[in-house]
């Protein structure tokens, strides 16, 4: 998790007390700065007010008040993250996933998304990983529109693997509507990668099914109908704030199994067949397939998890006990 730390992390607790390490690791709102262009993935405020030893401070929180963004303009923050990556590599980890990397570098007056400094840091981490342990793979997690996502391959010098974020919603749309035209067109546009770069194909993860990766690939009306169909199957929708202050869908929250309950005509008796088909298509595409544990185990929507956490994403994050998993396997 490179973009932010928990608000309970010792660094942030030190920041609140003006102690090291941490006092200079976070981003405070600067009076008079323009933050109107910053791209928001959530409907929560960009800045969260915390009480520090020096009084109240407004601190940059891209995702929530519990996840506080790090200030990579401070070289010590970058060094700390390099040390963290080395820690994992030294213990045998061979795939390093850079969480929310697109939001890493912040600059007032810009979108603070995909900035050149962010791409340079990806290149740097790749070089360091290759020097320490050749064969280590850098995987970027960028839940953004299609070509923005693919940009993290760089000029064969950034990520070794990029999540195929457009695959889960496009595949879902094809199976929900019976129209594979949009999915087929997208598949034909997938670029041919170099020998040391590829895609991570998946249909479900601990996050929801992204809507932004459909931008430019599905008409707005088709997206709206898909969202309506998923809410009809018990799903929920998380929203983001746009530059003009309005809100729009950011992701659909539903297990991929429950998303396969039926089609736009309603529920039917082909849920299992439809779900297995979705996994077969994902595995057949060029790249490395990744199967989420709740897809492997056939988990359904976890409404108790939502009630406990208060978060829509908990619908697909059911916490299982060892004996439950053993029984399912």
């Amino acid at each position: 998790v490179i973009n932010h730390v928990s608000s309970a992390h010792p660094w942030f607790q030190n920041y609140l007390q003006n102690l090291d390490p941490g006092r200079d690791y976070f981003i405070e709102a600067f009076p008079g700065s323009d933050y109107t262009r910053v791209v928001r993935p959530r409907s929560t405020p960009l800045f969260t007010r915390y009480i520090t030893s020096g009084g109240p401070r407004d601190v940059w929180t891209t995702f929530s008040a519990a996840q506080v963004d790090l200030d990579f303009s401070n070289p010590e923050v970058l060094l700390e993250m390099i040390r963290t990556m080395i820690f994992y590599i030294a213990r045998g980890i061979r795939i390093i996933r850079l969480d929310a990397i697109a939001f890493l570098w912040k600059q007032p007056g810009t979108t603070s998304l995909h900035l050149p400094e962010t791409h340079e840091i990806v290149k740097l981490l790749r070089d360091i990983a290759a020097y320490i342990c050749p064969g280590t793979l850098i995987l970027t997690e960028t839940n953004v529109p299609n070509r923005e996502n693919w940009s993290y391959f760089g000029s064969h010098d950034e990520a070794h693997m990029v999540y195929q974020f457009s695959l889960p919603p496009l595949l879902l749309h094809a199976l929900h509507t019976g129209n594979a035209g949009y999915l087929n067109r997208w598949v034909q546009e997938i670029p041919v990668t170099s020998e040391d770069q590829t895609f991570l194909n998946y249909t479900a993860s601990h996050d929801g099914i992204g809507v932004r990766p459909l931008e430019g690939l599905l008409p707005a009306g088709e997206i709206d109908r898909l969202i309506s169909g998923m809410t009809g199957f018990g799903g929920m929708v998380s929203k983001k704030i746009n530059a003009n202050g309005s809100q729009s869908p950011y992701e659909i929250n539903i297990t991929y199994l429950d998303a396969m309950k039926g089609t736009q005509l309603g529920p039917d008796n082909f849920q299992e067949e439809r779900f297995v088909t979705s996994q077969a298509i994902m595995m057949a595409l060029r790249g490395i397939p990744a199967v989420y544990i709740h897809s492997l185990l056939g988990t359904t929507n976890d409404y108790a998890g939502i009630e406990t956490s208060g978060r829509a994403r908990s619908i697909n994050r059911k916490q299982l006990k060892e004996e439950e998993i053993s029984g399912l396997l």
Side-chain angles (χ1 to χ4, degrees):
V1 181
I2 191 169
N3 178 73
H4 48 266
V5 297
S6 166
S7 58
H9 193 286
W11 291 347
F12 189 66
Q13 293 303 306
N14 281 351
Y15 161 81
L16 297 177
Q17 298 301 319
N18 197 32
L19 300 173
D20 286 324
R23 73 170 80 208
D24 299 318
Y25 283 13
F26 303 94
I27 306 167
E28 297 180 358
F30 193 78
S33 293
D34 177 16
Y35 300 105
T36 58
R37 294 182 59 199
V38 174
V39 172
R40 300 305 325 288
R42 296 287 184 276
S43 58
T44 52
L46 177 62
F47 289 95
T48 301
R49 177 157 292 188
Y50 299 93
I51 303 302
T52 74
S53 59
R57 296 286 187 273
D58 293 325
V59 183
W60 196 303
T61 51
T62 295
F63 295 96
S64 76
Q67 296 168 294
V68 191
D69 289 62
L70 290 162
D71 182 6
F72 278 84
S73 68
N74 178 353
E76 188 56 37
V77 171
L78 178 58
L79 289 170
E80 288 282 11
M81 280 301 161
I82 291 171
R83 293 184 190 110
T84 302
M85 184 179 73
I86 293 172
F87 173 91
Y88 287 127
I89 293 173
R91 281 152 183 79
I93 300 299
R94 290 298 172 262
I95 301 177
I96 303 293
R97 173 187 185 270
L98 303 181
D99 183 83
I101 186 69
F103 300 92
L104 193 75
W105 196 273
K106 283 79 170 173
Q107 182 66 46
T110 74
T111 61
S112 293
L113 187 72
H114 313 310
L115 295 188
E117 292 87 348
T118 294
H119 286 280
E120 289 299 325
I121 288 176
V122 176
K123 295 176 187 177
L124 175 65
L125 295 177
R126 172 174 171 148
D127 288 344
I128 293 171
Y131 181 80
I132 295 170
C133 182
T136 300
L137 303 179
I138 300 297
L139 167 64
T140 50
E141 190 261 345
T142 53
N143 190 358
V144 294
N146 199 46
R147 296 197 179 277
E148 295 176 35
N149 182 37
W150 290 343
S151 74
Y152 282 83
F153 283 131
S155 298
H156 309 291
D157 57 357
E158 292 188 43
H160 296 96
M161 285 197 297
V162 168
Y163 277 85
Q164 280 289 39
F165 272 103
S166 296
L167 176 59
L170 275 178
L171 181 54
L172 175 58
H173 175 267
L175 291 167
H176 187 70
T177 63
N179 176 8
Y182 296 105
L183 175 65
N184 283 333
R185 276 195 289 276
W186 172 76
V187 168
Q188 291 167 9
E189 294 176 356
I190 296 175
V192 176
T193 57
S194 60
E195 288 186 0
D196 66 342
Q197 292 181 309
T198 193
F199 299 98
L200 188 76
N201 298 321
Y202 77 109
T203 59
S205 74
H206 65 292
D207 293 337
I209 301 169
V211 174
R212 283 208 72 206
L214 289 174
E215 292 177 16
L217 301 176
L218 267 188
E222 291 290 330
I223 295 174
D224 291 341
R225 280 189 285 275
L226 179 63
I227 291 172
S228 177
M230 292 306 103
T231 56
F233 293 159
M236 306 180 75
V237 180
S238 296
K239 296 187 175 182
K240 68 181 183 73
I241 294 180
N242 302 312
N244 62 4
S246 65
Q247 295 190 11
S248 60
Y250 179 74
E251 65 181 19
I252 303 169
N253 301 111
I254 191 171
T255 68
Y256 219 69
L257 179 63
D258 273 337
M260 300 291 154
K261 277 184 177 179
T263 68
Q264 58 189 357
L265 301 178
D268 57 31
N269 296 321
F270 298 102
Q271 181 180 17
E272 291 183 16
E273 292 87 348
R274 191 175 291 112
F275 178 75
V276 171
T277 297
S278 73
Q279 301 308 292
I281 293 172
M282 179 265 288
M283 292 179 183
L285 293 177
R286 184 171 66 250
I288 297 174
V291 181
Y292 185 42
I293 189 170
H294 289 302
S295 292
L296 177 70
L297 300 177
T299 306
T300 56
N301 291 336
D302 182 17
Y303 298 110
I306 296 176
E307 188 172 342
T308 301
S309 69
R311 293 189 295 270
R313 279 183 168 180
S314 297
I315 201 170
N316 198 22
R317 294 180 173 183
K318 184 178 177 70
Q319 296 185 18
L320 299 167
K321 297 186 182 298
E322 184 181 2
E323 54 269 24
E324 290 181 82
I325 298 174
S326 298
L328 288 166
L329 292 174

